[in-house]
Amino acid sequence: MAMEKQNDLNNNYTDNNGSADSVLEQNFRVISPGRMVAKRFFKSKLSIAGLIMIILVFLFSFVGPLIVDATWGYKETQVFKIERNSDMVSKAEFYGPDGKLYTYYDKSQTLVVFKAPPSKDHWLGTDTSGFDIFTRLMYGGRISLVISFIVIFLETFIGIVLGGLSGYFGKWVDQLIMRIVDIFACLPGLPVLLVLSATINSIEGIPAEHRIYYLMAFLTLMGWTGVARIVRGQILMLREQEYMMAAETTGISALHRIFRHLVPNAMPQLIVNATLGLGGVILYESTLSYLGLGVPFPRAAWGSMIALADPSKGQEILANYPNMWVPAGILIVVTVLGFSFIGDGLRDAFDPRMKR
Amino acid sequence: MGLIDIFKRKKIEGVDDTMYLTLREERRISKENNKIIRKFEREKNRKNVPEEEYLTQMRDPSNVVEFEDLHTYFFTDVGTVKSVNGVSFDIPQGKIVGVVGESGCGKSVTSLSLMQLVQAPQGQIVKGSIRYQDSNGKCYEITKMPKDKMLKIRGKDIAMIFQEPMTSLNPVFKIGEQMDEVVLLHVEGSTPESAKARSIEMLKLVGIAMPEKVYNSYPHELSGGMRQRVMIAMALSCDPRLIIADEPTTALDVTIQAQILELLRDVKNRINGSIMLITHDLGVIAEMADYVVVMYAGRIIEKGTVREIFHDPKHPYTIGLMRSKPTGETRDNRLYSIKGQVPNPINMPDHCYFYNRCDKAMNVCSRDYPDMVDFSSTHCAACHLYYGEGLQEQNKGKE
Amino acid sequence: MWKYFLRRIALSLLILLGVSALIYLLSMLMPADYIDNQTYAALQSGAMTKEDVQRLKELYGLADKSFKGIVKSYLSWLKSTMSGDLGFSFLYGKPVTKVLSEYIWISFLIAFISYILQIIIGIPMGIKASVNQYSAYDYIVSVFAMMGTALPSFFLSALLMNVFAIKLGILPLQGLTTATKLFPPDAHFQILLDKAWHLVLPISVLTLLGVGGTMKFTRTNMLEVLNSDYIRTARAKGLSEHEVTYKHAFRNTMIPLVTSLSGMLPGLFGGAMITETVFAIPGIGYMALRATQQGDIPFIMGYNMFLSILTVLGMLISDIMYMVVDPRVKLS
C-alpha cells in the first residue's frame, strides 16, 4: 500500500516545477531511482560481502602478480629447485620363526627438489613441477577472470543480436532462431565441451597458447541461448504492453519503439544474468582444466592445480600436500560465490517486487 | 527507467536542493525505523499475555467496533508514512458505515488494522485503540490482542471481503474446500458433512443458481461477479458480527455492482450484522450506508449520517466530493473536480492537509490543524470555517 | 489437449534430429586417428585386418570426410539409431546400447538417492527461510545454498576424501567394492553393505551440490506466493500462520516445484561425470569420460544422444506434470 503511494508521488513530483499548489509537495524528498537500486543492493549484507570478495579476487589476480614480480621477481612458470631431505619411513611386519610379530622399520632419506613446503620465500610452497604455488594462484585467477568476462560478453552480444532478430521479425525468423536455441539448449554441456576440447588438443597444428581462444569460443557457443531467450521474451512482452500501444498511436517507428524501450527494460535482467553467468563460466573452465582439457600446461589454472590431488594419480598430494590444492579450490568458491552474491543482490535491487 | 537515467539526479526548479534524500538522511531513517519496528515487534511477539491486558469497556454498548485515535504508520525507506493518523469513529450494531476517500487516504489500512493484518514489520499500529465487542458483550482491545486470540475473531466475528475477487481466492483449491475451511475452523463440532451443507446453504443465500456445481469448481472457472459472491458467502458462513467490505464492487461490471450491493444489504439484514463499507464511490455510499466517514490523508475530516453528509456537507472537501459526483441534473456545467493532489504522506504539515487545495482557505488554515466541530450529535467536521478565529475571519470577509 | 501433446512431441523429435546432426558433426571433427589408435593392438595381434579397420571407419562414416560423405554417413547412422542400434564401442568392446544399459543403474542409484535427499532437506529449509525472510536462519541457509552451487564437484570430493577417507579413515576413498576384502559369494547382504559404504561419499557430494538449488527455488517461489492476495484472504479467515504457510502457500509453491523436480527425473540416468570419475565409481558418467578421453567415437555419440533424449524427455514430463498439478491449465 505504502509503496504504491510513493510511486504515484514519484511520478507526480518529478515534473513539478513549483506551481502554486506545490508548497506541501516540496517539504519532502524521495530517494532517486538509481540510489533506490543502489540502496536495495547495499541493504543486503550478502551483496556487500560478494562485492568485497570479487574486489579482493581481482586485486589478487591482477595487482598480485605485479607485486610478486616487483618484490621477489617470480614468474608464472619459473621453476624453483629447493633441495631438502625427505624422510621416508617404511614399515613392514612379519612373524619371526619364534611366532612373534616383528616390526621392521626402514628409514631412508631422499633428496627432493620439488614439492617444497610453505616457507618465507614461497608462502604456499612449490608444486610437483617446482612452480611457486602462490604466484600460480594469481595467474590462474587472471586467466579464469579474463576468460569468464570475455565469454560472458560474447554470449550477451550474440544473444542480444539473435534474440533481438527473433523477437523483432517474428514469423519464420523467430521459428528458425528459436529452434536453433532449443537445439543448443538441449546439447549436454560438459560432454560436448569435453569432445570439443579433446578435438582441439589433438590437432597438432594449433599452438597451445591458442587453445584458450578456442575454449572461449566453445564456452560461448554453449551459453548464448539463455540471453537470446531473455531478449526475445522481453521483446514479446513489450509488444503486449499498453504503453507500446500508446507509443504506436503516436506514430513512433517500430524499430525505435522496440529499442528505445527494450534496452532499458531488458538491461537489469541481462546484467543479473551476466553476473550469475560469470561464476558458471569459471566453474566450467576449471572443470575442463581439472580434466586437462582447459587452460593448457604450463599456464596456471585453478582447475589444473586441484587436479594434482586427483586420487587416481596417487594419494600422496591429496593426503599430504593440501597447500597445493586447497587454496585453488577456495579461490574458485570465493569467486563463484562472490558473483552469485552480487547477481542475487542486483536482481533483488532491480526487482523490488520480491523485497517488500 | 533507463540505466543511465537511474543514476541522474533530477533538479527541481526553485528548490535549492535536489528532491532526493542525502545518504546521511537515508541512513538516519533506516536506523530509526529499525529501532521502532523492533520495539513494536517485540511487544507483539510476547507469549501468554494475560487476558486482563486486552479486555476493555465499550464507550457505547450498542457499538460493535469503536476506533479511537487510531494511528497506523508505515516505516518506509523514505520516511514514516502516517497512513492512519488519529482516526475515531464507531460502527453501531446492525448498521452500515461507509468510509469514503480518495485512494491512499488510509481507508483500507484502517480496516486492516482492525483485522491485525497490516503488512508487518513496516506497518505498525502506533497509538490509539480499536475496541471490539463480541456477542456475549465481552470487549476486546484489538491493538493489544495476542496473535493467537485474534485468529478466533478473524473470519468468525469479523469477516472481510476484498477488492479483487480475481486474485483473492486461492487458485489451487476448489471453492468448496476454501469455504468449508472457515466453517471447520470456527464452528465448534462441525464435520466435513455439516461444513459442506453450510457452504452450500451460503452459496444459495448469495444467489448462486447451481451451488453444488460451484462448490466443486475451481476459482478460475467462475466469473468475477460469481467469485465476489463466493467471497461474500465465505464471509457469511460463520454469521459474523461485522463484515468489512473493502471496495467490493470496484473491480466488477456496473451491472453486477448493483446486484452485489443489493446482496450485501440483504444478507446484513438477515444476520443482523454490521458492515464497514470502504469505497471511493459516493453512489455506493448513498445507496447503502447509514453513517458516512470521510477520510482525507489519513484523517477523518467529516462524519455524520448519510443524510447529513449528502444534504448538508460542511467540510470544503466533502462539498467538493458532492459536486464532483455526476447527478444528471446539471447539464450545462462540466463535472467539478477538486484541484491539486493529495499531499505527500511523509512529513505532513501542521496545518490543515486540505489547505492548498481548498477554495475557502484562510490565514488561520495555514497555522493549525482544525479541531472537530459538532453540528449535531452525529455530525461533525474538522474545519476552521466553523469555529473560533476562522469563523471570525469568515464573517469579516462577508461584511 | 492431445493436439497440444502431439505438437510437443513432434517438436521434441525435431529438436532431437537437430541435436543428433550437431553431435554427429562434432564427432566428425574428432580426428579419425583414434580408430587407428584403438585398433592398433588388435591389428598387430592379427585379431583385426586392415580391411576390418577400414570397414569400421566406413561403418561410422569416418572414412569419407567430404560434405557429401558426412551427410551420407549421418543418414546411415540415423537409420541404425532409429532401429535402436547405437553402434559398437571400441573401448569397451560391446554395443553402445549394452554399455549404457549396464552402467546407468549404478549412476541412477546414486543420483536418485541424492535427489530424494535434496527434496527432503531442501524444501523444508526453503520454506522456513521464506517464512523468516531476512532472519539469521534465512541468511545462513541462503549462503549455504549458494556455497553448494559455487563448489566445483572435484574440489568438494577432494575435500571430503581428505577428511573422511584419509584423515579420519572412516569411509573408503574410491571404488565400489573393497578390493582387499573377500566375500563369500552368498554374502549378498555384506556385499550390499560394502557397496553402500562406498557410495556414502559420492552421494553426499551430489546432495551437497544440489540441495542449494532446490532450497533456493523453494524459497523464491514461496516468497512470491506469500505476497499474493489469496494469502491475505487465508489470514483474514483466521487460519494460523502454520496453516497459511503449509496449506495455502505451499500448495501453490508445489506447482513450480513439482514441475521442475519431475523434469529432473530422466536426467538422473545421465550420470555424474566428474563425481563418478573422482570416486572411480563405474557408472555411466565415468565410462563416458573415459570414452571421451580415449576418443571412442561411437560411444561418445551414443552417450550424447542419450543425454539429449533424457533432456527432451525431462521437458515433456515437466509439461505433463504442470498440467496435472495446476488446476488452471486443464481447461485451456
Side-chain angles (χ1 to χ4, degrees), chain B residues 67-205:
Chain B
F67 291 94
E68 195 175 316
D69 199 27
L70 179 70
H71 291 72
T72 304
Y73 293 174
F74 284 87
F75 298 95
T76 70
D77 290 344
V78 285
T80 306
V81 177
K82 299 180 176 175
S83 273
V84 177
N85 191 7
V87 160
S88 315
F89 68 96
D90 304 335
I91 302 176
Q93 168 77 39
K95 300 283 187 216
I96 298 181
V97 176
V99 182
V100 238
E102 283 165 280
S103 28
C105 71
K107 356 181 250 289
S108 293
V109 178
T110 307
S111 66
L112 290 174
S113 304
L114 171 57
M115 295 287 272
Q116 271 195 11
L117 282 178
V118 181
Q119 181 86 43
Q122 296 95 325
Q124 299 286 350
I125 298 176
V126 179
K127 208 170 98 184
S129 64
I130 305 169
R131 289 183 290 268
Y132 163 74
Q133 179 178 236
D134 72 5
S135 48
N136 305 326
K138 236 176 170 181
C139 298
Y140 299 101
E141 175 57 61
I142 301 273
T143 53
K144 293 197 181 114
M145 220 151 144
K147 281 177 182 169
D148 53 325
K149 292 285 183 308
M150 194 62 211
L151 293 180
K152 300 211 169 66
I153 292 181
R154 271 188 219 156
K156 181 168 183 275
D157 291 357
I158 308 176
M160 196 153 179
I161 301 164
F162 292 101
Q163 180 177 0
E164 284 290 337
M166 303 312 249
T167 53
S168 293
L169 287 165
N170 196 328
V172 299
F173 291 113
K174 288 182 178 168
I175 298 292
E177 290 171 76
Q178 300 191 46
M179 291 191 68
D180 291 355
E181 195 175 44
V182 195
V183 182
L184 288 170
L185 191 67
H186 293 301
V187 180
E188 271 173 51
S190 56
T191 58
E193 292 77 36
S194 74
K196 181 176 179 183
R198 177 74 182 164
S199 301
I200 289 188
E201 187 193 332
M202 286 302 125
L203 287 173
K204 258 186 224 154
L205 185 74

Side-chain angles (χ1 to χ4, degrees), chain A residues 18-38:
Chain A
S19 57
D21 56 0
S22 65
V23 190
L24 271 175
E25 289 136 20
Q26 283 167 5
N27 67 0
F28 77 98
R29 280 166 294 160
V30 293
I31 303 176
S32 81
R35 197 116 59 74
M36 204 72 186
V37 171

Side-chain angles (χ1 to χ4, degrees), chain C residues 217 221 225 251-261 322 325:
Chain C
F217 190 73
N221 283 293
V225 170
R251 183 62 182 71
N252 280 276
T253 314
M254 283 273 281
I255 294 171
L257 218 51
V258 167
T259 312
S260 80
L261 285 175
Y322 185 47
V325 188

Side-chain angles (χ1 to χ4, degrees), chain B residues 162 167-169 231 234, chain C residues 229-238:
Chain B
F162 292 101
T167 53
S168 293
L169 287 165
M231 285 299 286
M234 197 146 73
Chain C
D229 281 358
Y230 51 81
I231 294 302
R232 193 180 54 183
T233 311
R235 290 209 176 101
K237 278 179 187 174

